[in-house]
Amino acid sequence: MNIFKKILHIVFSSFLVWQTLMLVERLLTNQSTDLLDKFLDAVFVNLFVTGVFTIVYSFPVYRLIPARYYSIHNPRLLKIVGQIIQIDLFKKLLTKTIWNKKQNKKYFFSGSRKGFGDLEITTRKSEFGHFVGFCIVMILTILIGFKTDISIAIMIFIVNILFNFYPFMLQRFHRLRLNELKNRFGNKII
């Protein structure tokens, strides 16, 4: 079953790469005038690019970034940034709309001791996908903004903040809390 899952992820990611290329090519050659079409294109660019990185759940590609990147080097600064960007508001919005407690238990934290180690790895995977997705969408945003229409680029940028920037910042906050627990209880929790 594990091999089947990996093959499906490769096929799915490849399909989304192809869809992204097709959409970006269309955006670079045909300018949409309808505001709703522009908004939907902005959403699809973000969904397609970010969706490519669901492959992190089958392969350890998050290890392409050095482990040091995932460490929280300045927790106080991260907390200040979190207050400025209102990360708690985003977290509440997420749990009220699409990410409930049942899904948290299934995908992030089981509630057991082993769950803490799994949580740390899952936050790394999720952060990798959203961080790389954010960077790629930013490059596409700049390209589209310079080549065709600045309004669609602005919409892609705003959606990218919601779909990628906030989620990767949220993963850093999860690890910050996890580190606080480790410091408080030692490695007993893992």
Side-chain angles (χ1 to χ4, degrees), residues 4-187:
F4 182 70
K5 182 180 170 187
K6 288 180 179 188
I7 291 169
L8 277 179
H9 264 130
I10 291 169
V11 170
F12 179 68
S13 291
S14 301
F15 173 75
L16 289 177
V17 166
W18 176 67
Q19 287 297 306
T20 302
L21 293 173
M22 299 297 289
L23 179 57
V24 170
E25 181 185 3
R26 185 177 59 77
L27 291 174
L28 290 173
T29 55
N30 301 328
Q31 291 189 19
S32 182
T33 54
D34 187 344
L35 190 62
L36 179 61
D37 286 343
K38 288 180 181 183
F39 175 73
L40 289 174
D41 286 340
V43 169
F44 287 137
V45 166
N46 278 276
L47 285 176
F48 291 166
V49 170
T50 305
V52 168
F53 296 100
T54 60
I55 201 163
V56 299
Y57 294 100
S58 288
F59 299 95
V61 292
Y62 68 94
R63 292 181 187 161
L64 293 172
I65 296 177
R68 193 169 153 243
Y69 163 81
Y70 295 106
S71 299
I72 308 298
H73 299 288
N74 192 339
R76 213 169 94 210
L77 179 61
L78 184 61
K79 287 178 183 179
I80 291 169
V81 169
Q83 289 174 342
I84 292 169
I85 66 171
Q86 296 290 306
I87 197 75
D88 284 335
L89 183 63
F90 176 76
K91 187 171 146 183
K92 285 179 186 173
L93 177 69
L94 209 55
T95 54
K96 295 273 185 210
T97 55
I98 60 171
W99 205 253
N100 61 38
K101 288 182 188 248
K102 188 177 182 181
Q103 287 169 317
N104 276 343
K105 267 192 159 181
K106 183 176 180 185
Y107 295 108
F108 278 97
F109 183 62
S110 64
S112 68
R113 268 191 196 181
K114 183 184 178 299
F116 285 104
D118 294 343
L119 174 63
E120 184 164 1
I121 290 184
T122 302
T123 62
R124 287 177 183 213
K125 289 177 178 180
S126 186
E127 183 176 345
F128 176 87
H130 286 291
F131 176 71
V132 176
F134 176 78
C135 294
I136 291 172
V137 171
M138 284 306 298
I139 291 167
L140 294 175
T141 301
I142 292 166
L143 177 69
I144 291 167
F146 279 122
K147 289 274 187 178
T148 59
D149 183 4
I150 193 70
S151 64
I152 182 87
I154 291 169
M155 286 185 193
I156 294 170
F157 173 77
I158 291 169
V159 174
N160 194 25
I161 295 295
L162 292 172
F163 281 23
N164 287 308
F165 176 75
Y166 272 98
F168 94 71
M169 288 299 291
L170 186 59
Q171 300 313 313
R172 294 199 73 76
F173 277 91
H174 289 323
R175 268 196 316 288
L176 175 66
R177 290 179 63 210
L178 191 57
N179 287 343
E180 289 171 350
L181 285 172
K182 281 183 190 176
N183 291 337
R184 187 172 175 193
F185 297 107
N187 284 335

